[in-house]
């Protein structure tokens, strides 16, 4: 039983180290690649955690599968039932948390769509008559495509060129389906507490991705920086779009000063030096290897348990 627990504990502890490597990797990559790396790592590490718990939960049932009385297995491994029960409880808790977060996100979308009932439509743009400055990307719902929601207060805050930046930013969120990436990472965070920082980091890099798309569209990085700063400063906590785990992505999301500073520098690119590429390759290998190792450990747990059951027989 000691080896079984060692295998599982290794699989469950791996995400803590992998998350640190993933965050370091994201900091070295352009926003698009960083966002994809964070989302992919969230899925892989959450999947590895679930597989490890399922493998542990399955151990007592191997005896029944081999027509071996459970009492004999318990006599050999006294803690097998409590440990499997703990794994089962963890799996149920994960399922409940994921379901609750998904339901909260769907409720947020429903409330937000209802709040745009009186908006003036202009293509993919919904203009809400409201003095409070707000702007955000609203994902599609029930046959409706995604929309950029902006209030008259926000439109009055920005000049014509700055409005182009704002709309380009929010349209980039819709075009690349950033809402799905954000939701995926926030749901994965319900599976393992170590994954929570990845959701926060991802939201920042998604905003950076949209910032860069808007800057490329208007062809002026300084203008984009000015527009992002002005729009974000106009949005107060009271008027910001709702934030329920997987938030609606808006121009005010994330540390705005860092985003503005990045726009005042040249467009980010993948590391060009041999040393930079080596660091990125090493971090990618570490993250992917950690997730795959968790799955391999769970498979090894299953094989070891079957072998041990055979010995008990």
């Amino acid at each position: 039983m000691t080896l079984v627990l060692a295998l599982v504990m290794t699989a469950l502890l791996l995400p803590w180290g992998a998350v640190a490597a993933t965050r370091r990797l994201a900091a070295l990559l352009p926003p698009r690649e960083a966002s994809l790396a964070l989302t992919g790592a969230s899925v892989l590490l959450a999947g590895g955690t679930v597989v490890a718990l399922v493998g542990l939960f399955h151990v007592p049932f191997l005896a029944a599968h081999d027509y071996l009385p459970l009492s004999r297995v318990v006599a050999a491994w006294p803690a097998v039932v409590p440990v499997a029960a703990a794994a089962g409880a963890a799996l149920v808790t994960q399922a409940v948390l994921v379901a609750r977060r998904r339901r909260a996100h769907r409720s947020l979308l429903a409330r937000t769509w209802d709040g745009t009932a009186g908006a003036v439509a202009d293509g993919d743009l919904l203009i809400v008559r409201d003095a409070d400055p707000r702007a955000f990307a609203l994902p599609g719902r029930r046959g409706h495509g995604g929309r950029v929601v902006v209030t008259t207060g926000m439109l009055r805050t920005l000049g014509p060129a700055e409005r182009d930046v704002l709309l380009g930013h929010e349209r980039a969120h819709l075009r690349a389906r950033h809402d799905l990436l954000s939701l995926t990472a926030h749901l994965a965070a319900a599976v393992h507490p170590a994954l929570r920082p990845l959701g926060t980091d991802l939201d920042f890099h998604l905003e950076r991705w949209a910032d860069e798309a808007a800057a490329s569209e208007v062809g002026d990085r300084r203008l984009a920086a000015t527009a992002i700063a002005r729009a974000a400063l106009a949005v107060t906590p009271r008027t910001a779009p709702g934030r329920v785990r997987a938030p609606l992505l808006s121009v005010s999301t994330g540390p705005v000063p860092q985003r503005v500073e990045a726009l005042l520098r040249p467009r980010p690119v993948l590391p060009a030096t041999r040393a930079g590429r080596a660091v990125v390759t090493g971090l990618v290998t570490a993250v992917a290897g950690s997730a795959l190792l968790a799955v391999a450990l769970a498979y090894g747990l299953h094989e070891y348990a079957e072998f041990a059951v055979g010995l008990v027989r």
Side-chain angles (χ1 to χ4, degrees), residues 47-58:
T49 299
V50 171
V51 169
L53 289 173
V54 169
L56 186 60
F57 178 70
H58 189 232

Side-chain angles (χ1 to χ4, degrees), residues 18 184 282 296:
T184 297

Side-chain angles (χ1 to χ4, degrees), residues 78 226 249 270 301:
T226 302
L249 295 168
L270 290 168
L301 165 66

